[in-house]
Structures are given as structure tokens and as C-alpha cells.
Amino acid sequence: MHKTLLLVVIGLFLSFKSHAQQPEKLNSSEIYESIKKLNFLGSVLYVAAHPDDENTRLISYMANEVKARTAYLSLTRGDGGQNLIGPEIRELLGVIRTQELLTARAIDGGEQRFTRANDFGYSKHPDETLEIWNKNEVLSDVVLAIRQFQPDIIINRFDHRTPGTTHGHHTSSAMLSIEAFDLANDATVYPDQLQHVDQWQPKYLYYNTSWWRYGSRENFDKIDKTNFISLDTGTYFPSSGLSNTEIAALSRSQHKSQGFGSTGTRGTEMEYIELIKGNTPSNKTKIFEGIDTTWNRVKGGQEIGIILNDVEKNYDLKNPSASIPKLVQAYNLIQRLENEHWKTQKTKEIKAIIAACSGLYLEAVTTSNQATFNENMKLSLELVNRSNTKLSLVSYTNPNGLNVNKGINLNNNDRITIEESFKVALPNTDYITTTPYWLTEKGTLGMYKVSDKSLIGKPETPDYFNVTFNINIEGVTIPFTRPVVFKTNDPVKGEVYKPFEVVPEATAKLAEKVIIFNTDAEKEIAITVRAGRDNLEGTVELCHPENWNVYPEELPISISNKGGEQRVVFKVIPPKNQDEGFISPIVTVGDKQYTDELIEIDYDHIPFQTILLPSESKIVRLDIKKKGDNIAYIAGAGDVVPESLRQIGYNVLTLSPEDITTESLSRFDAVVLGIRAYNTVENLKFKQDILFNFVENGGNMIVQYNTSYRLKVDKLAPYKLELSRDRVTDEFAEVKFLEPKHPVLNYPNIITKQDFEGWTQERGLYFPNSWGKEFTPIFAMSDKRESSKKGSLLVAQYGKGYYIYTGLSFFREFPAGVPGAYRLFANMLSLGKGELPKEQQLKN
């Protein structure tokens, strides 16, 4: 019986994310630098397209040397790129790169913002980009970012004047920034935004140029630099013992999923910005010329400036708490400001400084990192005043909004703990998920859907469960809000923080995201159900396509403990002929049904992440044949090729470089190198002769795409082979068969143009553009208005075996369950393993 998917949703879907970071603990020098920043009222917005596009040298310089409030607006979250540290791609990669950006900003002193644009993959022209993105919506998000952040200066990473010469996303980011510069101060443009933010007109817009823009340093030296400002970003900061460029390198090195580890430098490092909009400054070294960046820029700010300048001048590095009385006095005056923008920003800054000067430690820790709706949770509050300043806890507001009066004196270095409990509940809400807000609704290829307009632009969903401590300092009650977190001790890492997450009472995970049936025999499909609470009782069924059969219809589940799991197994029977569809588990608990999978992302360089996404797997009844059985796989930047090959019946063993010997390879029919293996695996340069000898002796070697940048080997292939940046980004681009009689297209599977239907994101990338006569190009393809590219699949016989280089994006097509990708890869592995059947020989 065919089961129809029915999801019961009660109330409103709402997501939230807690920051899984330790409380900030500034040292005396850092407090002093924060005070100087408190006295600077100016801001810079840096604009580009992706995580890693930002110039961390310039962001760090603006934040730490100039002391400007500095933010990076990345139009996308980098969802369309590759992942060098794990298997996550698309939405999950976007989550990783979001956190990498936040970690980078925590190092270089900037802030982070986004638009709703989805990184759909490489684009060759802004016309294509802006059509897929929905230009009006992304432009509205850029205008909103300007109105919210109120930058005095905007700096574009890319040049708006060169469409078609670089990534279409890059040029689009600059074009949108320039358009938004003029629109943000127009009340007739996106007027609905003005219910929550004010119009704003930035003063300057610059393009962050460099000598490479002009081809060489010699060319750059010759150009007219009338509209240029030059900045030496190699500043040294004695308070930290680091140069600005060293800080920038630490920041950039957080882009680990892209392999952008960077070594810090010292000495002069010039940056150039070209004026695009605004009047040319007369002083080419002062970027804020003509902008009042003192407290005098806001009404009522003069008195605040006098007080805080005195705090800065007389700050005692040995006794920061001596500054507290005047800081509290300034805090009071800031609360009276009419300018809401600077009032909000400077209140946040001065509260952090007051807490740091007093050594005030505030924390709200729960006993578990996960809970379900309506669950009662225990909470431990910790308060410590580590100064001689008289502080007291007047009251606190618990996560349910209940104000609790206390009146407890916080004496120097006395640790105060309070045990509290709260109920995991939200007003008018019955179901809470932990998914990042931009993933809670189904979007389009180019845009994320965000119904709650207050969330647009935010890097994460704001913390919902917080505790606000109302602390009396110098006779003034100041509220300090802290998120509820989970803290534990790891025997190796020590103190470890995780965010507090609210999850469904049941989630379900399918063992494989793509399940290949290469015959009409049934397969057992396992589902793992996880309990979000104790004593979970219910049933599981499997939603499936009409022409597939599943039995039994449902299975019972009974899980005693929260966090416990139960594995159930269904038998799935495919149709006789080639077909594909999706299966989804449905867990029924009482009158509610759950269809999501709980995904956890745990890397040391970013906070622990928990995501809920629909649990489904693609099932494919595939008409496929293969020759050979045993495959050696050498991992590169991370993909699911080994698992995919196992799905079609191969025995796949992953080898480390140390395992690559003539003897070890003798057991295998073929060796497959993972994507970018020659970019990421240093020791492969010592193994090339062994690999080539394997081919010469009758094995097949398949090398998936690499980039020409940072190659670890001098010789990619036994013959001439040169990589380029050629790519075909249109997944629908026509594929022409250059050698239709070649065995790779005919044995053991006959490959037709139908096998290139259903491809996702792109045809391929980084194709070779020059190769030896020994190679046979198999396909030709191109994007619109471009020359034909013939380097997507190159085959060369070497000795008794075959060396194959391919830039086709199998690493994307396998996770998408594209049948033709499996059939073609099987043919590549089968080359030379048998003869074409007579009927195929006659046909060809």
C-alpha cells in the first residue's frame, strides 16, 4: 500500500541557535583597546559575495587600528562550494561556512551579515546571477543592511565595471552595493523597511583594488591614482604582540573548509581603495575625512565624550576597576540619547567594558544540551565579582521571562550559585526546531525563504532562551543578558561548551542518502529513530513511490531514555525497470508525526551545530553493468564516491598515501583519486611512479578534478596534461560525443545523451585545456556564448591499463542519485576489463 506523507505541524515553526562559546574574558590591554573603540563613532561595511572573499587585512585594520565598527556583508553563505574537511555540501556546507565567518570575525574584530542569496554554484556573468538570485530581493537585503548598520563608508571587494571577467556572484555583489548606496536614503524604496529602520546615506563608496587588477605591479605604478587612498595595513599592535597582518592571517585561516590556512606576515602591507562614490578626500591617508567620529556627532554626546576621553586618558592597566565609576556615569548618559542607532551600539559596548573592568563573570548553564517542548530543565546560575567595586544582584529574569528578586551582594571573588528551573516553552508556540532560520522553509535555487523579516541579514537565529542579570553598580542597575548554554568536561579538551537546543521528541535518519538497486531484488533499508525525551513510544512507516513496494507497513518503536536510538528495518522492492523516487520515514507519536533528521556538525574550529532537515533518501532502480570488483580509493578533499561505488556492487577500500605500494595495489582493478587529492595530500608526490606503474601493468587510474593552484605533484599524468579554469556551469548544457565508438561510451553500459539528464549544479569544473596526443577527449560541452570545452573526460591507454582524468562533477551527481553518472563511472572503471559484445560492435 502506498503511504502518503502527512506531516502534522501544531502552531508556529520557530528556530533558534545559542552561541556555543565560552564567556568573553578580556585582559587589561584588551579592555583599554575597547575603551578607545568606544570613543570612535564611525563604521565601515565591506561587501562581497562569499565566505573567503573578504579582505581580512582591511577588516582587521579598520576594526583594530582605526577603531571603526566594521562588518562584512557576504551576500551568500558559500553553500555551492566544495568542502575540504568533510562530506558536507550544499546547505550543511553553508552552515559550516557561516560559523567559519563568525569565528574569523571574532578574531579580526569585525561583525558579520548576510543576505538571502543562495550560492547556487559558479556563474560566469552577473546577468545570470541576478536572474537566479532574484535581483530585487537581494538588492532589498543590501539596502536593509545599509539602513541597519548605517555605514559611513562602504568598501566593495570586486569591481562593478568588469562583468563577465570573473565569477558572476563577485561582480553582482559590487553592482548591488553601488545601486544600494543611492537607494538606502530614498524613502520610496522598500518603504516597509522604514517601519523598523531609518533611511541612511553613506558618505563614501570605495573599490578595494590591487596591482593584480592591472596585470602587474609595473602597470599599477603607471595608472592615475587621483581617486585612490593608500593604507599601510601592516600596523603592529604592542598590546597583543601581533601585527595586523598576523591577525588577518589567523582570521583567514578559519576558512578551513576551503583550505585557506594563511601564514602571518610582518612589515608594511599596502592596501588601495578607489573612490567610486562621494567627494575625493584631500588627505589620501584618512579614510574618514569629513566625518565626525567623536561623540560630538550625536546630540547629547559632548558630555559623554568628555567623560570617556578622561577614562581613556587615565586608564590604569593594573586596576581597570578604577574606571568603573565614570563608565557607569557615561552609561547613564548614553541611555538618554535620542539617536537610537548609536545608543544601542554604544550601550552594548560600554556594558561589556564595565563587566570586564569588574571581572564580572555571569553564566547560565543547563544540565543537557537538548530538550523537547514542555520539558522542565534545571539551570545553574553563576555570578562572580572579581574586583573591589561594590556590586549586587538586584534580580534576574529567567528563560521564561519570570523576574526573580534577589538582593544579593557580590563581594570580591565570592562565587554565587543559584539553582533555577524553567520550562521549555514559547508563547503561542507548540513546536520548536533547532534548524538555522534560513533553512526552515523551502526556498528556490537562488534564494532562501525567510518569512520572519526581522531575521533577514542576521548570521544566526538569535538566542531565545536567555537569563538577564540585573546588577547594581555604583547605584545604577544595569542588565546583562547571557544565553543558556550546556557545559561539560572532556578528558582531552577540558571545558567544552555546546549550545542549548530544542529538538522534536522524535527524529529519524535513513542510513544512506542515495540507495541504488542494480537489480530488481529487494533490499533492507534501515531507519534509526532517536528519542528527544524519555519513554518514547510510537510507530514508524516509510513513505515511498507508487510503483515501489515496502513491507511491513509500519514498525513499533519504544525508547526508554532521552538521546537513545532504535534501529528498525524495512524491506524495499524496486520495480523491474529503471526508475527513481524518494522515500521518507514518518514517526508517529500520539497524534503527532515527525519526518526530520537530526544532523550534528562537530569540528574543533567552530561551535557545535545541530540542524533539522527533512529526512529522505533517493532510491534508484538502475540499469547498470560493471566489470571488475576491487577499487582502491585515495581520499582528497572529501566526497561520497566510495560509498556510491559500493552501492553499485564494488568492493572499495580507502588507502592512505602510506598504504600505496606496488604490492598493495596489485589486489585492485582500479584506483580512484578523490577530488583535489593532488591539492590536499602532500605525500602523493612520492607515490606517482607507483600509481603509474599500476596503470602500466593493467590497472585503471581515475583522477577526479584538481585545481592548478597549489598542486602537490609535478606530473599529474604519465603524459602531458595541463589544467585550466575551464568549466561548464550550466547543468543543462548540451553534451556532444566526440568519440561515440570509444569503449568508455559503450562497455559495459551504452552511454547516451539521456545519461546527462538530471545533473545538478554544473557539468564539471577545472577541465584540462592542453594534453598529449595519447589522450582521447570523449565529450565537448560549453556554456552559452562560449567556445567548446573538450577536457571534461580524457582517456589514455598507458601500457596495459588506462589513465583517466575527469573534471565532470561526479562528486555532486552521486549524492543527487543521477543514474547516468553511475553508469558512466562504471564504464570508466571497466575499461579494458572485457570486450564489447558483438551486437554493440556491429552497432558501432
Side-chain angles (χ1 to χ4, degrees), residues 210-277:
S210 179
W211 64 264
W212 46 258
R213 162 74 170 78
Y214 298 88
S216 69
R217 294 184 186 275
E218 291 75 17
N219 292 340
F220 182 67
D221 291 339
K222 297 175 185 177
I223 66 170
D224 178 11
K225 297 185 179 64
T226 301
N227 288 333
F228 282 43
I229 288 182
S230 59
L231 303 166
D232 182 0
T233 61
T235 305
Y236 174 66
F237 301 114
S239 60
S240 66
L242 296 171
S243 68
N244 182 70
T245 43
E246 287 174 310
I247 294 172
L250 291 171
S251 171
R252 187 158 185 79
S253 294
Q254 301 314 303
H255 295 301
K256 298 185 188 301
S257 66
Q258 303 186 70
F260 282 162
S262 180
T263 299
T265 61
R266 290 142 294 281
T268 296
E269 185 73 49
M270 299 305 297
E271 287 288 342
Y272 300 91
I273 54 176
E274 178 187 359
L275 183 69
I276 302 298
K277 285 183 175 287

Side-chain angles (χ1 to χ4, degrees), residues 512-516 580-583 616-620 758 815-819:
E512 303 288 345
K513 290 301 179 187
V514 175
I515 304 167
I516 304 295
E580 57 188 89
F582 291 90
I583 54 174
E616 67 175 16
S617 293
K618 187 172 185 179
I619 47 176
V620 180
V818 178

